[in-house]
Amino acid sequence: MIEAVRNDPKLDALEKRLGHMPNMLRVMANAPAVLDGYLGLSRSLKKASLPPATAERIALAVGAANDCGYCVAAHTHGARGAGLSDDEVEAAKAGTSADPKEAAVVAFARELTESRGRADDAAVREAGWSEAQVLEIIGIVALQTLTNYVNKVAGTENDWLPL
């Protein structure tokens, strides 16, 4: 178990900017290079062409595949904020969606996670997602895998409940 950092000027500045300090970031603060890497990739992927609801679906599919309760709770919150219904949240966790284009994305993300990167992108491409978007999906899967592993190893206290 890795303890969360409580007193850190960098975290104080980040909390002021975010308005909330997730326990996951307090855990990552034990290794500034990990925290900086997470924040940098997270910021970059927010500029991606994928809609926010799609990114949340991917995060839910990966978190569920990796059995990370912390990340599933955090991204359930994010998915609701992105306009997803409870049914769509549950579908994303199962690796599907009522929308065929979104279903292709979450199935690919889940397959990518479960196969450790050995996934065929043909269905995603056939559903209308571009080469750049396939790479963005991979980036989100990689970022979520990092957070899933950090939270599972650290036993991060879930500050996203109740949902």
Side-chain angles (χ1 to χ4, degrees):
M1 183 172 235
I2 301 171
E3 294 295 319
V5 173
R6 296 291 169 199
N7 297 313
D8 183 301
K10 184 175 183 176
L11 290 179
D12 294 342
L14 187 57
E15 182 173 15
K16 194 176 228 180
R17 194 173 87 227
L18 296 174
H20 166 242
M21 179 51 57
N23 286 334
M24 179 188 76
L25 298 182
R26 292 187 184 284
V27 168
M28 286 182 174
N30 284 288
V34 172
L35 178 61
D36 289 346
Y38 165 79
L39 293 172
L41 184 54
S42 182
R43 270 191 300 272
S44 291
L45 289 171
K46 289 205 184 308
K47 299 174 195 169
S49 65
L50 296 172
T54 301
E56 291 299 339
R57 283 182 171 98
I58 295 165
L60 285 165
V62 174
N66 283 327
D67 193 30
C68 181
Y70 184 94
C71 292
V72 168
H75 290 286
T76 296
H77 177 80
R80 287 180 179 152
L84 295 182
S85 68
D86 289 345
D87 288 343
E88 276 297 301
V89 167
E90 290 306 311
K93 292 190 298 188
T96 191
S97 173
D99 178 317
K101 189 171 181 180
E102 296 293 332
V105 169
V106 292
F108 176 66
R110 187 151 184 129
E111 180 184 356
L112 195 64
T113 302
E114 292 173 343
S115 71
R116 293 182 175 90
R118 299 188 193 288
D120 185 350
D121 69 339
V124 176
R125 301 289 290 280
E126 287 172 15
W129 298 98
S130 71
E131 187 171 279
Q133 289 171 319
V134 169
L135 290 168
E136 292 169 359
I137 294 163
I138 294 167
I140 293 170
V141 169
L143 181 67
Q144 295 311 311
T145 300
L146 168 65
T147 63
N148 293 173
Y149 289 7
V150 164
N151 290 310
K152 289 180 67 132
V153 169
T156 306
E157 181 183 344
N158 194 337
D159 51 347
W160 293 100
L161 295 176
L163 295 177

